[in-house]
Amino acid sequence: MTGTAVLAPPTTERDPAAIEARGLVVRYGRRSALAGVDVTLAPGQCLALFGPNGAGKTTLLRVLAGLRRATAGTVQIAGQPVGDIATRAFTGLISHQVMLYAALTARENVTFTARLYGVPDPAGAAMAALERLGVADRADTAVRALSRGLMQRVAIARAIVHAPRVLLADEPYTGLDAAGAAALTATLDGLVSAGTALVLVTHQVSEGLALAHHAMILNAGRVVRHDPAPPLDPVRYAADYRELVGAT
Amino acid sequence: MPPDLLAAALLVARKDLAIEFRTRSAFFSAVVFSLLAVSIFYFAWDPTAIPSADLAPGVLWVTFAFSGLLGLHRSFGVEGADGAMDALLAAPIPREAIFLGKAGANTAFVLAVQAVAMPAVVLLYNVGGGVAWLPIAAIAVLAAIGLVAVGTLFSSVVANTRLAELLLPLLALPFFVPIVTSAAQATAQLLGGRPLADAASWLKLLAAYDLVFVAACTWIYPHSLDA
Amino acid sequence: MTSPAKPAPLAASPIRTPSVDGLLVLGVVAFAAALVRAAFFTPPDATQGLAQKIFYVHAPSAFVALYCACGLVLVCSALWLWLKDERLDRVAEASTEVGLAFMTVVLITGPLWGRPIWGAFWTWDARLTLSLFLWFVLLGYQILRGAVEEPEQRARYSAVLGVLAGLLVPFIHLSVYLFRTLHPMPIVLKPSSPSLSSEMLVSFLFSMSAMLLLFAGLVRARYRLAMDQAELEHLEGRG
């Protein structure tokens, strides 16, 4: 059963890295979305992923989530190959789309996901997740009736209801106002502190760096820069980024 | 433990049916369409030249094919709207379970529409007494399975394209030909009071079609995905 | 420092469409020659008369369209699902387009032959019916391809349709067979392949070979065109 919170700091020799990806290539014909990418992430760490549109960030996340098979390379999530069905149980996915069923209530959406992941007591876990995101009072409202900010919170609740070891967030700040963004940052921070490994794709340099232990820039399917994050100054980093990928 | 194939398929099917229950718009549209089509067909023939009861099988199964398309179209539409499909694909369930779950929900949908359309045809077309309900219900189930297997797969494919509403009938209708033919011919035999054996060849064809295409579509569905 | 990504190498060297495509020219010339021979240098059939000569176009077209084109699409689709090689998709694409053209010829020459011989423009016999529905499927294939932008997705959906269409063929056959068995339809003259004198047989074989050559030439030319276009797009994208 997944989800035991890992409170200890980065890997010992026996703990598998949360994400271990080597030489990822995603290619069809002449088009190459990823051209050899390595990612290593320990539990309880956050990787901020930056890059221009078309750099391959979404493709990389989809490969890690098991949504897309790589043409070459290996990916292990918590020590298991990503192609296995059971490995997907370790992963949670947040996107700029809410991935919810508009006609169903928040509770129904999250309970459905809990059942898909085989969470014991799915209804209870769903309510717990909604409470954690502060939307429990709207649990029985149809999702379509919620504001964008609340929908995103329900979406996050859906993504974490099974206590994933790895959380993949693809531009989750899209469409959120300042309050929503702050709430999101707080939630993600809490999850990372409790041992979840987080890959965060975002265009918001400052928000990304605030949470990150590492920062990576992807361009044209390759890693062009990879730094440990804490010493980085957001302003300088943003300037470097623009220089690296060309003005956007 | 994540659910196995059958349990996951049931989860997906229940979810789809719950959504349909909540809105009911697709169901009512399909039912109304069926009734309208059945009514319009009646006026397309001269009732003195051809007894309307003879037209009934053809009308019933042709409208079945088209009303089925209406229902199928929304099957993957509900996933695409907010990217919910990704959530299903990221879950630790076999991909085939998604297909089987949706096909299951679609079968229930199509049969529910037929449950209204069939009595309507019997009524409006003055189909004579002694309608062999059980065998005709069996035809309906077999036809629904075949239609839904192919239709669910194609609706998954066209959901990601620009011309979805046009493409679904265009791609699916050639595949419906053996279904409509078999169902209509078998129904005509049965309504004509012929013994079951006469309709048997058509039923066997339908059953063979169902076996082949349910297996093929279930197998091919994961290949139609990105992953 | 950015390292510019090198373009991924093509599985084979870039195809160049030559200024003179030998095979295609040969096919066209052979086809023209076959037509001339059939029209002017072959004796007309005793019972069916001049109209029978359409047979020299109709039958080979049907053979090429049904067996060569559709068979090629089926095989390439199945292989693509396994190997995911772009070239297989391009061959299937070329085969479908050319097959659609040949199938259209079949559907036009069929009624043209049928009217004087059978007394009816259209009889729902097995081959014509199958040709009609495969024509729809091929058309659907083309439209599907036109509706999907992304190359891999387009190839994937096309391959799925190709494989399923292959499974459909026996069921259409069976449906028509069962239909005709249970509902024998009166026809003025029973349509059958004419028994051929040696001269007519030679013309027929010549015509068949010409059609095969033409098919091969057209498919290869279309394939090269598709590959060249892909190459051009790729270069423009990176340029």
Side-chain angles (χ1 to χ4, degrees), chain A residues 148-208:
Chain A
R148 162 78 197 179
L150 288 179
M151 259 196 238
Q152 187 71 321
R153 293 200 203 192
V154 175
I156 298 165
R158 188 202 60 76
I160 64 167
V161 68
H162 58 290
R165 293 198 203 174
V166 171
L167 189 57
L168 304 166
D170 192 353
E171 305 197 31
Y173 289 96
T174 311
L176 290 184
D177 61 6
L184 177 57
T185 305
T187 310
L188 294 178
D189 199 33
L191 289 165
V192 172
S193 310
T196 306
L198 171 66
V199 178
L200 175 61
V201 171
T202 179
H203 282 293
Q204 323 272 42
V205 175
S206 37
E207 259 125 348

Short mmCIF file of all heavy atoms in Angstrom, two decimals, chain A residues 148-208:
data_model
loop_
_atom_site.label_atom_id
_atom_site.label_comp_id
_atom_site.label_asym_id
_atom_site.label_seq_id
_atom_site.Cartn_x
_atom_site.Cartn_y
_atom_site.Cartn_z
N ARG A 148 -12.99 29.03 -10.82
CA ARG A 148 -11.76 28.44 -11.33
C ARG A 148 -10.80 28.07 -10.20
O ARG A 148 -10.20 27.00 -10.18
CB ARG A 148 -11.10 29.41 -12.32
CG ARG A 148 -9.65 29.16 -12.59
CD ARG A 148 -9.42 28.02 -13.54
NE ARG A 148 -8.02 27.58 -13.45
CZ ARG A 148 -7.48 26.59 -14.13
NH1 ARG A 148 -8.23 25.91 -14.96
NH2 ARG A 148 -6.22 26.28 -13.98
N GLY A 149 -10.68 28.97 -9.25
CA GLY A 149 -9.77 28.73 -8.13
C GLY A 149 -10.19 27.52 -7.31
O GLY A 149 -9.36 26.68 -6.95
N LEU A 150 -11.48 27.41 -7.05
CA LEU A 150 -11.97 26.27 -6.28
C LEU A 150 -11.85 24.98 -7.09
O LEU A 150 -11.51 23.93 -6.56
CB LEU A 150 -13.43 26.49 -5.86
CG LEU A 150 -13.64 27.53 -4.78
CD1 LEU A 150 -15.12 27.68 -4.46
CD2 LEU A 150 -12.88 27.16 -3.52
N MET A 151 -12.11 25.08 -8.37
CA MET A 151 -11.97 23.91 -9.23
C MET A 151 -10.54 23.39 -9.18
O MET A 151 -10.31 22.18 -9.11
CB MET A 151 -12.27 24.29 -10.69
CG MET A 151 -13.63 23.91 -11.17
SD MET A 151 -13.67 24.01 -12.96
CE MET A 151 -14.98 25.18 -13.17
N GLN A 152 -9.60 24.30 -9.22
CA GLN A 152 -8.20 23.88 -9.18
C GLN A 152 -7.89 23.21 -7.85
O GLN A 152 -7.15 22.23 -7.81
CB GLN A 152 -7.29 25.09 -9.42
CG GLN A 152 -5.82 24.75 -9.56
CD GLN A 152 -5.47 24.04 -10.86
OE1 GLN A 152 -6.21 23.19 -11.34
NE2 GLN A 152 -4.34 24.38 -11.44
N ARG A 153 -8.47 23.69 -6.78
CA ARG A 153 -8.23 23.04 -5.49
C ARG A 153 -8.81 21.63 -5.48
O ARG A 153 -8.21 20.70 -4.95
CB ARG A 153 -8.89 23.84 -4.37
CG ARG A 153 -8.25 25.19 -4.16
CD ARG A 153 -8.58 25.70 -2.80
NE ARG A 153 -8.46 27.13 -2.73
CZ ARG A 153 -8.48 27.81 -1.60
NH1 ARG A 153 -8.62 27.17 -0.45
NH2 ARG A 153 -8.35 29.12 -1.62
N VAL A 154 -9.98 21.48 -6.06
CA VAL A 154 -10.57 20.14 -6.15
C VAL A 154 -9.68 19.26 -7.02
O VAL A 154 -9.45 18.09 -6.71
CB VAL A 154 -11.99 20.20 -6.74
CG1 VAL A 154 -12.55 18.79 -6.93
CG2 VAL A 154 -12.91 21.00 -5.85
N ALA A 155 -9.14 19.86 -8.08
CA ALA A 155 -8.25 19.10 -8.96
C ALA A 155 -7.02 18.62 -8.19
O ALA A 155 -6.56 17.50 -8.39
CB ALA A 155 -7.83 19.96 -10.15
N ILE A 156 -6.49 19.46 -7.34
CA ILE A 156 -5.33 19.06 -6.55
C ILE A 156 -5.72 17.99 -5.54
O ILE A 156 -4.99 17.01 -5.34
CB ILE A 156 -4.71 20.28 -5.84
CG1 ILE A 156 -4.24 21.28 -6.89
CG2 ILE A 156 -3.53 19.84 -4.97
CD1 ILE A 156 -3.96 22.63 -6.32
N ALA A 157 -6.88 18.16 -4.93
CA ALA A 157 -7.36 17.13 -4.01
C ALA A 157 -7.44 15.79 -4.74
O ALA A 157 -7.05 14.75 -4.22
CB ALA A 157 -8.73 17.52 -3.45
N ARG A 158 -7.96 15.83 -5.96
CA ARG A 158 -8.06 14.61 -6.77
C ARG A 158 -6.68 14.02 -7.01
O ARG A 158 -6.50 12.81 -7.00
CB ARG A 158 -8.74 14.95 -8.11
CG ARG A 158 -9.08 13.75 -8.97
CD ARG A 158 -9.21 14.15 -10.42
NE ARG A 158 -7.99 14.72 -10.93
CZ ARG A 158 -6.92 14.02 -11.26
NH1 ARG A 158 -6.92 12.71 -11.14
NH2 ARG A 158 -5.83 14.63 -11.69
N ALA A 159 -5.70 14.88 -7.21
CA ALA A 159 -4.37 14.38 -7.55
C ALA A 159 -3.64 13.78 -6.36
O ALA A 159 -2.73 12.98 -6.54
CB ALA A 159 -3.53 15.51 -8.15
N ILE A 160 -4.01 14.18 -5.15
CA ILE A 160 -3.24 13.70 -4.00
C ILE A 160 -4.01 12.71 -3.12
O ILE A 160 -3.49 12.25 -2.12
CB ILE A 160 -2.77 14.87 -3.11
CG1 ILE A 160 -3.98 15.59 -2.51
CG2 ILE A 160 -1.88 15.82 -3.90
CD1 ILE A 160 -3.59 16.54 -1.39
N VAL A 161 -5.23 12.39 -3.51
CA VAL A 161 -6.07 11.56 -2.64
C VAL A 161 -5.43 10.20 -2.36
O VAL A 161 -5.68 9.59 -1.32
CB VAL A 161 -7.49 11.39 -3.24
CG1 VAL A 161 -7.43 10.54 -4.51
CG2 VAL A 161 -8.44 10.78 -2.25
N HIS A 162 -4.59 9.73 -3.27
CA HIS A 162 -3.98 8.42 -3.07
C HIS A 162 -2.57 8.55 -2.52
O HIS A 162 -1.79 7.60 -2.55
CB HIS A 162 -3.95 7.64 -4.39
CG HIS A 162 -3.22 8.34 -5.50
ND1 HIS A 162 -3.71 9.47 -6.12
CD2 HIS A 162 -2.05 8.07 -6.11
CE1 HIS A 162 -2.86 9.86 -7.06
NE2 HIS A 162 -1.85 9.03 -7.07
N ALA A 163 -2.23 9.73 -1.98
CA ALA A 163 -0.92 9.97 -1.36
C ALA A 163 0.22 9.55 -2.28
O ALA A 163 0.98 8.63 -1.98
CB ALA A 163 -0.81 9.24 -0.01
N PRO A 164 0.35 10.21 -3.42
CA PRO A 164 1.37 9.80 -4.37
C PRO A 164 2.77 10.10 -3.87
O PRO A 164 2.98 11.06 -3.14
CB PRO A 164 1.05 10.65 -5.60
CG PRO A 164 0.38 11.85 -5.07
CD PRO A 164 -0.40 11.39 -3.88
N ARG A 165 3.71 9.27 -4.27
CA ARG A 165 5.10 9.55 -3.90
C ARG A 165 5.69 10.59 -4.83
O ARG A 165 6.66 11.26 -4.48
CB ARG A 165 5.92 8.27 -4.03
CG ARG A 165 5.51 7.23 -3.03
CD ARG A 165 6.60 6.21 -2.89
NE ARG A 165 6.05 4.98 -2.37
CZ ARG A 165 6.75 3.86 -2.25
NH1 ARG A 165 7.99 3.82 -2.65
NH2 ARG A 165 6.18 2.79 -1.76
N VAL A 166 5.14 10.64 -6.04
CA VAL A 166 5.63 11.60 -7.02
C VAL A 166 4.45 12.42 -7.51
O VAL A 166 3.43 11.87 -7.89
CB VAL A 166 6.29 10.88 -8.22
CG1 VAL A 166 6.59 11.86 -9.33
CG2 VAL A 166 7.54 10.14 -7.79
N LEU A 167 4.60 13.73 -7.48
CA LEU A 167 3.55 14.60 -7.99
C LEU A 167 4.11 15.37 -9.18
O LEU A 167 5.19 15.97 -9.10
CB LEU A 167 3.09 15.55 -6.89
CG LEU A 167 1.86 16.40 -7.16
CD1 LEU A 167 0.66 15.51 -7.49
CD2 LEU A 167 1.54 17.26 -5.96
N LEU A 168 3.36 15.31 -10.27
CA LEU A 168 3.79 16.00 -11.49
C LEU A 168 2.82 17.13 -11.75
O LEU A 168 1.62 16.89 -11.90
CB LEU A 168 3.80 15.02 -12.66
CG LEU A 168 4.65 13.77 -12.42
CD1 LEU A 168 4.34 12.70 -13.45
CD2 LEU A 168 6.13 14.14 -12.47
N ALA A 169 3.32 18.34 -11.75
CA ALA A 169 2.43 19.49 -11.88
C ALA A 169 2.81 20.28 -13.13
O ALA A 169 3.90 20.84 -13.21
CB ALA A 169 2.53 20.37 -10.63
N ASP A 170 1.91 20.31 -14.10
CA ASP A 170 2.18 20.98 -15.37
C ASP A 170 1.46 22.32 -15.39
O ASP A 170 0.27 22.39 -15.66
CB ASP A 170 1.70 20.09 -16.53
CG ASP A 170 2.21 20.58 -17.86
OD1 ASP A 170 2.81 21.67 -17.91
OD2 ASP A 170 1.99 19.87 -18.86
N GLU A 171 2.19 23.36 -15.14
CA GLU A 171 1.68 24.73 -15.11
C GLU A 171 0.40 24.85 -14.28
O GLU A 171 -0.63 25.33 -14.78
CB GLU A 171 1.46 25.24 -16.54
CG GLU A 171 2.74 25.11 -17.36
CD GLU A 171 2.73 25.95 -18.61
OE1 GLU A 171 2.11 27.03 -18.60
OE2 GLU A 171 3.36 25.53 -19.60
N PRO A 172 0.46 24.43 -13.02
CA PRO A 172 -0.74 24.44 -12.19
C PRO A 172 -1.18 25.84 -11.80
O PRO A 172 -2.30 26.04 -11.35
CB PRO A 172 -0.32 23.65 -10.95
CG PRO A 172 1.16 23.87 -10.87
CD PRO A 172 1.64 23.98 -12.28
N TYR A 173 -0.31 26.85 -11.96
CA TYR A 173 -0.68 28.21 -11.58
C TYR A 173 -1.54 28.90 -12.62
O TYR A 173 -2.03 30.00 -12.38
CB TYR A 173 0.57 29.04 -11.32
CG TYR A 173 1.31 28.64 -10.06
CD1 TYR A 173 2.38 27.76 -10.11
CD2 TYR A 173 0.92 29.14 -8.81
CE1 TYR A 173 3.04 27.38 -8.95
CE2 TYR A 173 1.58 28.76 -7.65
CZ TYR A 173 2.64 27.88 -7.74
OH TYR A 173 3.30 27.51 -6.59
N THR A 174 -1.71 28.26 -13.79
CA THR A 174 -2.47 28.91 -14.86
C THR A 174 -3.88 29.26 -14.40
O THR A 174 -4.59 28.42 -13.87
CB THR A 174 -2.58 27.96 -16.07
OG1 THR A 174 -1.29 27.45 -16.38
CG2 THR A 174 -3.15 28.67 -17.27
N GLY A 175 -4.26 30.48 -14.60
CA GLY A 175 -5.63 30.88 -14.30
C GLY A 175 -5.93 31.10 -12.83
O GLY A 175 -7.08 31.33 -12.46
N LEU A 176 -4.93 31.02 -11.98
CA LEU A 176 -5.18 31.25 -10.56
C LEU A 176 -4.90 32.70 -10.20
O LEU A 176 -3.94 33.28 -10.67
CB LEU A 176 -4.28 30.34 -9.71
CG LEU A 176 -4.59 28.85 -9.72
CD1 LEU A 176 -3.67 28.13 -8.76
CD2 LEU A 176 -6.04 28.61 -9.32
N ASP A 177 -5.74 33.25 -9.34
CA ASP A 177 -5.45 34.59 -8.84
C ASP A 177 -4.43 34.50 -7.71
O ASP A 177 -3.97 33.41 -7.37
CB ASP A 177 -6.73 35.29 -8.39
CG ASP A 177 -7.42 34.53 -7.25
OD1 ASP A 177 -6.84 33.53 -6.75
OD2 ASP A 177 -8.53 34.93 -6.86
N ALA A 178 -4.09 35.65 -7.14
CA ALA A 178 -3.02 35.68 -6.14
C ALA A 178 -3.33 34.78 -4.95
O ALA A 178 -2.47 34.04 -4.46
CB ALA A 178 -2.78 37.12 -5.67
N ALA A 179 -4.60 34.81 -4.51
CA ALA A 179 -4.96 33.99 -3.36
C ALA A 179 -4.85 32.50 -3.70
O ALA A 179 -4.34 31.69 -2.92
CB ALA A 179 -6.38 34.33 -2.91
N GLY A 180 -5.35 32.16 -4.88
CA GLY A 180 -5.27 30.77 -5.31
C GLY A 180 -3.84 30.30 -5.44
O GLY A 180 -3.49 29.19 -5.05
N ALA A 181 -2.99 31.17 -5.99
CA ALA A 181 -1.59 30.81 -6.17
C ALA A 181 -0.92 30.60 -4.82
O ALA A 181 -0.14 29.66 -4.64
CB ALA A 181 -0.87 31.91 -6.96
N ALA A 182 -1.23 31.46 -3.87
CA ALA A 182 -0.64 31.31 -2.55
C ALA A 182 -1.08 30.00 -1.91
O ALA A 182 -0.28 29.28 -1.30
CB ALA A 182 -1.04 32.50 -1.66
N ALA A 183 -2.37 29.68 -2.06
CA ALA A 183 -2.87 28.43 -1.48
C ALA A 183 -2.19 27.24 -2.13
O ALA A 183 -1.83 26.25 -1.48
CB ALA A 183 -4.38 28.34 -1.67
N LEU A 184 -2.00 27.32 -3.45
CA LEU A 184 -1.35 26.23 -4.16
C LEU A 184 0.08 26.05 -3.66
O LEU A 184 0.52 24.93 -3.37
CB LEU A 184 -1.36 26.50 -5.66
CG LEU A 184 -0.64 25.48 -6.54
CD1 LEU A 184 -1.20 24.08 -6.33
CD2 LEU A 184 -0.77 25.88 -8.00
N THR A 185 0.81 27.15 -3.55
CA THR A 185 2.19 27.07 -3.08
C THR A 185 2.25 26.43 -1.70
O THR A 185 3.11 25.58 -1.43
CB THR A 185 2.83 28.46 -3.05
OG1 THR A 185 2.70 29.07 -4.33
CG2 THR A 185 4.31 28.38 -2.67
N ALA A 186 1.33 26.85 -0.84
CA ALA A 186 1.32 26.29 0.52
C ALA A 186 1.08 24.78 0.48
O ALA A 186 1.75 24.01 1.17
CB ALA A 186 0.25 26.99 1.36
N THR A 187 0.13 24.37 -0.34
CA THR A 187 -0.18 22.93 -0.43
C THR A 187 1.01 22.15 -0.95
O THR A 187 1.39 21.11 -0.39
CB THR A 187 -1.36 22.69 -1.37
OG1 THR A 187 -2.42 23.56 -1.01
CG2 THR A 187 -1.83 21.25 -1.31
N LEU A 188 1.60 22.64 -2.03
CA LEU A 188 2.73 21.93 -2.61
C LEU A 188 3.89 21.87 -1.62
O LEU A 188 4.56 20.84 -1.48
CB LEU A 188 3.17 22.62 -3.91
CG LEU A 188 2.16 22.56 -5.06
CD1 LEU A 188 2.68 23.31 -6.27
CD2 LEU A 188 1.83 21.12 -5.43
N ASP A 189 4.11 22.95 -0.93
CA ASP A 189 5.19 22.99 0.05
C ASP A 189 4.96 21.94 1.14
O ASP A 189 5.87 21.22 1.54
CB ASP A 189 5.26 24.40 0.66
CG ASP A 189 6.59 24.64 1.32
OD1 ASP A 189 7.59 24.09 0.82
OD2 ASP A 189 6.64 25.35 2.33
N GLY A 190 3.71 21.88 1.59
CA GLY A 190 3.37 20.88 2.61
C GLY A 190 3.63 19.47 2.13
O GLY A 190 4.16 18.62 2.84
N LEU A 191 3.27 19.20 0.87
CA LEU A 191 3.45 17.85 0.33
C LEU A 191 4.93 17.50 0.22
O LEU A 191 5.34 16.39 0.56
CB LEU A 191 2.79 17.76 -1.05
CG LEU A 191 1.27 17.76 -1.04
CD1 LEU A 191 0.74 18.02 -2.43
CD2 LEU A 191 0.74 16.44 -0.51
N VAL A 192 5.71 18.45 -0.26
CA VAL A 192 7.13 18.19 -0.42
C VAL A 192 7.78 17.94 0.93
O VAL A 192 8.57 17.01 1.10
CB VAL A 192 7.81 19.37 -1.16
CG1 VAL A 192 9.32 19.20 -1.16
CG2 VAL A 192 7.30 19.46 -2.59
N SER A 193 7.40 18.76 1.90
CA SER A 193 7.96 18.56 3.23
C SER A 193 7.62 17.20 3.79
O SER A 193 8.39 16.62 4.56
CB SER A 193 7.43 19.62 4.20
OG SER A 193 7.57 20.90 3.66
N ALA A 194 6.46 16.69 3.41
CA ALA A 194 6.06 15.38 3.92
C ALA A 194 6.65 14.23 3.13
O ALA A 194 6.35 13.07 3.39
CB ALA A 194 4.53 15.28 3.91
N GLY A 195 7.48 14.53 2.13
CA GLY A 195 8.20 13.46 1.46
C GLY A 195 7.81 13.19 0.02
O GLY A 195 8.39 12.30 -0.62
N THR A 196 6.84 13.92 -0.50
CA THR A 196 6.50 13.72 -1.91
C THR A 196 7.55 14.37 -2.79
O THR A 196 8.05 15.45 -2.47
CB THR A 196 5.14 14.38 -2.21
OG1 THR A 196 4.17 13.88 -1.30
CG2 THR A 196 4.69 14.08 -3.63
N ALA A 197 7.92 13.72 -3.88
CA ALA A 197 8.80 14.33 -4.86
C ALA A 197 7.94 15.09 -5.85
O ALA A 197 6.93 14.59 -6.32
CB ALA A 197 9.61 13.26 -5.59
N LEU A 198 8.32 16.31 -6.14
CA LEU A 198 7.48 17.16 -6.99
C LEU A 198 8.27 17.63 -8.19
O LEU A 198 9.39 18.13 -8.06
CB LEU A 198 6.99 18.35 -6.17
CG LEU A 198 6.27 19.49 -6.91
CD1 LEU A 198 4.96 19.00 -7.49
CD2 LEU A 198 6.04 20.68 -5.98
N VAL A 199 7.68 17.46 -9.39
CA VAL A 199 8.23 18.10 -10.57
C VAL A 199 7.25 19.18 -10.97
O VAL A 199 6.08 18.91 -11.22
CB VAL A 199 8.40 17.10 -11.74
CG1 VAL A 199 8.94 17.83 -12.97
CG2 VAL A 199 9.34 15.98 -11.35
N LEU A 200 7.72 20.40 -10.98
CA LEU A 200 6.85 21.54 -11.19
C LEU A 200 7.24 22.25 -12.47
O LEU A 200 8.33 22.81 -12.57
CB LEU A 200 6.95 22.48 -9.99
CG LEU A 200 6.19 23.81 -10.05
CD1 LEU A 200 4.70 23.56 -10.18
CD2 LEU A 200 6.49 24.62 -8.80
N VAL A 201 6.35 22.19 -13.45
CA VAL A 201 6.58 22.95 -14.68
C VAL A 201 5.83 24.27 -14.54
O VAL A 201 4.64 24.28 -14.25
CB VAL A 201 6.04 22.18 -15.90
CG1 VAL A 201 6.07 23.08 -17.14
CG2 VAL A 201 6.86 20.93 -16.12
N THR A 202 6.53 25.35 -14.71
CA THR A 202 5.86 26.63 -14.55
C THR A 202 6.58 27.71 -15.34
O THR A 202 7.77 27.57 -15.68
CB THR A 202 5.78 27.02 -13.07
OG1 THR A 202 5.14 28.29 -12.95
CG2 THR A 202 7.17 27.11 -12.45
N HIS A 203 5.86 28.77 -15.65
CA HIS A 203 6.49 29.92 -16.26
C HIS A 203 6.83 30.98 -15.22
O HIS A 203 7.50 31.96 -15.52
CB HIS A 203 5.57 30.54 -17.32
CG HIS A 203 5.58 29.76 -18.61
ND1 HIS A 203 6.67 29.68 -19.42
CD2 HIS A 203 4.62 29.01 -19.21
CE1 HIS A 203 6.39 28.93 -20.48
NE2 HIS A 203 5.17 28.50 -20.37
N GLN A 204 6.30 30.75 -13.98
CA GLN A 204 6.54 31.74 -12.93
C GLN A 204 7.86 31.42 -12.25
O GLN A 204 7.94 30.51 -11.43
CB GLN A 204 5.43 31.67 -11.87
CG GLN A 204 4.05 31.39 -12.43
CD GLN A 204 3.36 32.67 -12.82
OE1 GLN A 204 3.97 33.56 -13.38
NE2 GLN A 204 2.08 32.76 -12.50
N VAL A 205 8.89 32.14 -12.61
CA VAL A 205 10.22 31.83 -12.12
C VAL A 205 10.30 31.93 -10.60
O VAL A 205 10.82 31.05 -9.92
CB VAL A 205 11.27 32.78 -12.76
CG1 VAL A 205 12.64 32.54 -12.15
CG2 VAL A 205 11.32 32.54 -14.25
N SER A 206 9.73 33.00 -10.06
CA SER A 206 9.88 33.19 -8.61
C SER A 206 9.14 32.13 -7.82
O SER A 206 9.66 31.58 -6.85
CB SER A 206 9.41 34.59 -8.20
OG SER A 206 8.30 34.96 -8.98
N GLU A 207 7.92 31.80 -8.27
CA GLU A 207 7.17 30.77 -7.55
C GLU A 207 7.85 29.42 -7.66
O GLU A 207 7.94 28.67 -6.70
CB GLU A 207 5.74 30.65 -8.09
CG GLU A 207 4.70 31.33 -7.25
CD GLU A 207 3.89 32.33 -8.06
OE1 GLU A 207 4.29 32.62 -9.19
OE2 GLU A 207 2.86 32.81 -7.55
N GLY A 208 8.34 29.14 -8.88
CA GLY A 208 9.02 27.87 -9.08
C GLY A 208 10.24 27.75 -8.20
O GLY A 208 10.45 26.75 -7.51
#
